[in-house]
Amino acid sequence: MTKKIISIDGCASIRHAIQLMLENEISGLPVLDQLGGVCGMLTEGDLLARCEIDSLSQSCAEVAKVDGTLLNYIKSKAWRVSDVMTPNIIAVTPDTPISIAAKLMASHRIKRVLVLDNGELVGLISRRDLLRAIAYVPPDTIAPGDEALKLAVITRLRTELGLTSHQVQIAVHNARVCITGNIDSELQRQAIRVLIERISGTCGYVDELHLAPQIA
């Protein structure tokens, strides 16, 4: 979670909001009301959607020459932030699992969710925070030995992909996994490879699967 939050007052001007975004290299600002509570979220998308693009006389080549640059796209007339922001914020609490935050971001197609503790803004979760969390997820671990590896592969093929020993067969020798049997599609083959590589790594996999003939 990002605890250093740059926010803006709902009565501030759009020009000030743009300057804050550019100076701090961020794409969104939590909007606070007069009591300090969160009343909305202002994003680049909100600004670009509300600006009068058709009235801009600059060419793309001229705009590209300027460094920094949302200001070059927007003809501002000192609009209030509260007039442009998205009022329906997506927020979580500090104890919300990071997986829930990720699902909210995906389902709402947003880049961040706010973290509120009893209504008080205490942080935000961004896409970059999710990437950091993914980077520190420990790899799958199993007991050493070929039999343990074989059991792990068989178990996960059944629980994760619904494949039983009647459909695919597993043999393991010196940590090298060999799989045989019949599959229904190339997509299924790819899913099997991904599953095995998660368990054994990328260097010990032999694919001897056969694609079942399609019945017309």
Side-chain angles (χ1 to χ4, degrees):
M1 178 178 74
T2 301
K3 294 184 178 179
K4 182 181 178 181
I5 310 166
I6 300 170
S7 59
I8 193 166
D9 190 283
C11 294
S13 72
I14 291 301
R15 185 172 294 275
H16 178 50
I18 294 170
Q19 289 172 340
L20 278 177
M21 288 185 182
L22 294 176
E23 290 169 1
N24 294 280
E25 298 182 348
I26 54 178
S27 60
L29 294 165
V31 183
L32 306 183
D33 59 24
Q34 296 298 309
L35 299 177
V38 181
C39 60
M41 191 77 192
L42 182 72
T43 68
E44 291 172 332
D46 293 322
L47 296 171
L48 292 173
R50 292 296 297 267
C51 72
E52 311 231 351
I53 292 292
D54 291 340
S55 69
L56 298 178
S57 59
Q58 293 167 294
S59 69
C60 289
E62 289 171 329
V63 169
K65 293 178 182 178
V66 182
D67 185 32
T69 132
L70 269 178
L71 289 171
N72 300 306
Y73 289 88
I74 301 173
K75 187 175 183 180
S76 175
K77 294 183 179 179
W79 300 332
R80 287 190 179 190
V81 165
S82 57
D83 292 330
V84 184
M85 70 181 187
T86 300
N88 299 320
I89 62 171
I90 306 299
V92 296
T93 60
D95 58 351
T96 301
I98 192 71
S99 60
I100 299 299
K103 290 176 182 177
L104 285 170
M105 291 166 67
S107 62
H108 292 277
R109 297 183 179 180
I110 54 178
K111 296 181 179 180
R112 66 198 65 76
V113 294
L114 303 182
V115 183
L116 304 182
D117 190 0
N118 293 321
E120 180 183 353
L121 180 63
V122 295
L124 62 83
I125 303 293
S126 67
R127 289 176 176 177
R128 185 166 297 180
D129 293 320
L130 294 181
L131 290 178
R132 290 194 188 100
I134 292 171
Y136 286 104
V137 172
D140 292 348
T141 56
I142 60 171
D146 288 348
E147 285 303 314
L149 177 55
K150 179 179 179 180
L151 179 60
V153 171
I154 291 174
T155 300
R156 296 195 189 183
L157 283 172
R158 183 180 66 252
T159 59
E160 297 182 20
L161 299 183
L163 294 171
T164 68
S165 56
H166 296 293
Q167 297 165 285
V168 294
Q169 295 77 48
I170 302 297
V172 180
H173 181 66
N174 292 333
R176 187 182 179 92
V177 179
C178 178
I179 182 167
T180 58
N182 296 316
I183 55 175
D184 298 325
S185 66
E186 289 299 329
L187 192 61
Q188 193 174 49
R189 185 194 303 275
Q190 184 179 355
I192 292 170
R193 175 182 58 76
V194 168
L195 182 148
I196 293 176
E197 287 179 350
R198 280 177 51 206
I199 303 172
S200 65
T202 59
C203 299
Y205 174 49
V206 179
D207 180 352
E208 295 184 355
L209 294 166
H210 298 283
L211 190 62
Q214 300 298 312
I215 301 175

